Amino acid sequence: MKLLKLTGFIFFLFFLTESLTLPTQPRDIENFNSTQKFIEDNIEYITIIAFAQYVQEATFEEMEKLVKDMVEYKDRCMADKTLPECSKLPNNVLQEKICAMEGLPQKHNFSHCCSKVDAQRRLCFFYNKKSDVGFLPPFPTLDPEEKCQAYESNRESLLNHFLYEVARRNPFVFAPTLLTVAVHFEEVAKSCCEEQNKVNCLQTRAIPVTQYLKAFSSYQKHVCGALLKFGTKVVHFIYIAILSQKFPKIEFKELISLVEDVSSNYDGCCEGDVVQCIRDTSKVMNHICSKQDSISSKIKECCEKKIPERGQCIINSNKDDRPKDLSLREGKFTDSENVCQERDADPDTFFAKFTFEYSRRHPDLSIPELLRIVQIYKDLLRNCCNTENPPGCYRYAEDKFNETTEKSLKMVQQECKHFQNLGKDGLKYQYVVCTSGLTLATRIEYIIPRSVKNYLIRLTKIAPQLSTEELVSLGEKMVTAFTTCYMCQSQNEELQRKTDRFLVNLVKLKHELTDEELQSLFTNFANVVDKCCKAESPEVCFNEESPKIGN
């Protein structure tokens, strides 16, 4: 594929974005232009991400055709910007081009989206994305020597194929994150290909890149899920808590302005509007970097970086130090005589301020715990404000908060102890090699941490009414939280999810069993995994063997 270094593409984007509000302040103009320049320089990657995420089943060759079509479209608009098609937004143009590809909508089952227009079509494409990518072939693997030869002989082709394969398997990951992953991938390839022991280098240095992608994929997918299911208000409160912890010296008014920028960023990013996502993310980071003195002292070096490293650096930066004059508690929410009146005057602003004040004072608490405390406070005021003596009722709110925190802390300590004990006793990993018709060089080592399986068993017993996907997702989030503290080995994610779903369904069928019986069942399960991974068709084997395990 030819690299799309398109002279004048920045003007083309201006044609496409006439409906946008363009900046007028010098700093904003500079930031806008630098963002446009970044889009210009990376248009090939941006096109790959958008297409691969919208039509995950599409081949690399089909994606190449779309890129060519977009270039021709650009040429027409550069020749005559008054053409009606040249005033459209980039994402609308892209989706129209995808729908116009001969036979593609029918071949990949998204023709129903092509019958819609504008916002309805964008949402249709979004809902058509598949988080379970088991329908895709295994991620292409190359021998380290072959990978290095491919990198040295045709760097662009290797990077394009890598981004295409990663994007289609992570359809909800935002474009800036995927572009950062691509940067890290190239850094690893470039460095390791110069090493004598390429295999060890690639395996070791790929782990943090994989973990980075996995963490952001899970996080962004769930925030987008919250946005679609509950609306912007929930996302607002999530980010009030996050940003208040990260930037404890920020003023409330400035925080709300920043939260509004972040929330609007999620509209484009969650829909898969790649260009808008990059613009909005850049706008948020520009906002933060332009107010460093009043926001954070920990981001100076990050703000000197370029897109997309700057944004990812800020996201991963340490929380700022708590202001020395910030009291340990804010009494106006528990000691004031007028709490109920202030709540009634403007409930959203009142609880936003409470979330802000409580979060910045408790940087050690998790975001779910903070949101849980906000809900407890809401429920408490709902009851107290209907009593004869509201102040005497809500005065003890701090006790309620501490009680909730202590319960959560005990639960986490118990789980951490369990996790640590498994490690001290020699955490057992069962290695299973699934051939499935692959050559010896491309066999996939599959690792089953027993702790992961134990959590899935426990979750399934506690909530058998949840779907398999919900249980697997919960299990992944729980184990990710623990393995953040204990640096885990890379796993074959596609096979991992298949066997996780298999185990969850197994426990749902046998939810009445004791823990001892489940341990025995797990042993049987491990044997089935070993058997099925050696079978010609593992998935068919899993489906056939699943009902037999408990017999």
Side-chain angles (χ1 to χ4, degrees), residues 507-529:
V507 179
K508 288 171 79 171
L509 288 171
K510 302 289 181 180
H511 61 272
E512 76 282 355
L513 297 182
T514 64
D515 287 341
E516 291 76 15
E517 289 171 321
L518 280 171
Q519 286 300 324
S520 174
L521 181 148
F522 173 70
T523 301
N524 294 338
F525 165 76
N527 292 334
V528 168
V529 171

Side-chain angles (χ1 to χ4, degrees), residues 419 421-429 449-452 454 488:
F419 197 89
N421 286 339
L422 283 173
K424 290 176 182 177
D425 292 337
L427 188 60
K428 302 295 183 182
Y429 288 87
R450 289 188 182 273
S451 56
V452 176
N454 287 338
C488 291

Side-chain angles (χ1 to χ4, degrees), residues 292-468:
Q292 291 182 57
D293 293 340
S294 60
I295 292 180
S296 175
S297 61
K298 299 287 181 74
I299 58 174
K300 186 176 186 299
E301 291 185 1
C302 293
C303 290
E304 293 172 354
K305 295 180 180 292
K306 296 181 179 180
I307 305 171
E309 288 91 343
R310 179 183 57 175
Q312 301 304 316
C313 179
I314 291 173
I315 290 170
N316 294 319
S317 65
N318 292 328
K319 294 174 182 175
D320 207 1
D321 301 324
R322 197 177 76 166
K324 293 181 179 179
D325 60 349
L326 189 65
S327 60
L328 292 177
R329 61 185 294 269
E330 177 52 82
K332 67 181 180 182
F333 294 104
T334 55
D335 301 341
S336 171
E337 298 288 321
N338 303 316
V339 168
C340 294
Q341 291 90 324
E342 291 178 20
R343 180 203 65 168
D344 295 340
D346 189 348
D348 288 345
T349 300
F350 177 82
F351 287 114
K353 286 183 177 178
F354 172 78
T355 306
F356 163 67
E357 296 291 359
Y358 200 89
S359 299
R360 66 201 291 242
R361 286 170 168 80
H362 297 86
D364 53 325
L365 295 183
S366 69
I367 300 304
E369 182 69 8
L370 288 169
L371 297 179
R372 193 177 299 120
I373 287 172
V374 172
Q375 189 58 51
I376 288 171
Y377 186 56
K378 286 183 178 181
D379 294 341
L380 181 68
L381 291 189
R382 189 180 297 113
N383 294 328
C384 291
C385 292
N386 289 323
T387 64
E388 294 182 359
N389 182 20
C393 176
Y394 58 66
R395 187 169 294 129
Y396 301 101
E398 285 286 347
D399 294 338
K400 295 275 189 184
F401 304 154
N402 293 336
E403 180 182 333
T404 301
T405 303
E406 287 171 7
K407 283 182 180 179
S408 297
L409 181 59
K410 285 180 180 178
M411 183 182 74
V412 171
Q413 288 174 336
Q414 181 180 357
E415 294 300 328
C416 281
K417 184 178 180 181
H418 173 68
F419 197 89
Q420 287 175 312
N421 286 339
L422 283 173
K424 290 176 182 177
D425 292 337
L427 188 60
K428 302 295 183 182
Y429 288 87
Q430 178 178 350
Y431 295 86
V432 180
V433 179
C434 283
T435 54
S436 303
L438 300 176
T439 62
L440 181 63
T442 57
R443 286 183 186 177
I444 304 169
E445 285 193 334
Y446 172 48
I447 305 166
I448 308 176
R450 289 188 182 273
S451 56
V452 176
K453 303 308 172 189
N454 287 338
Y455 283 125
L456 281 173
I457 287 173
R458 292 166 67 186
L459 282 170
T460 309
K461 287 188 71 178
I462 292 169
Q465 74 276 13
L466 295 180
S467 70
T468 297

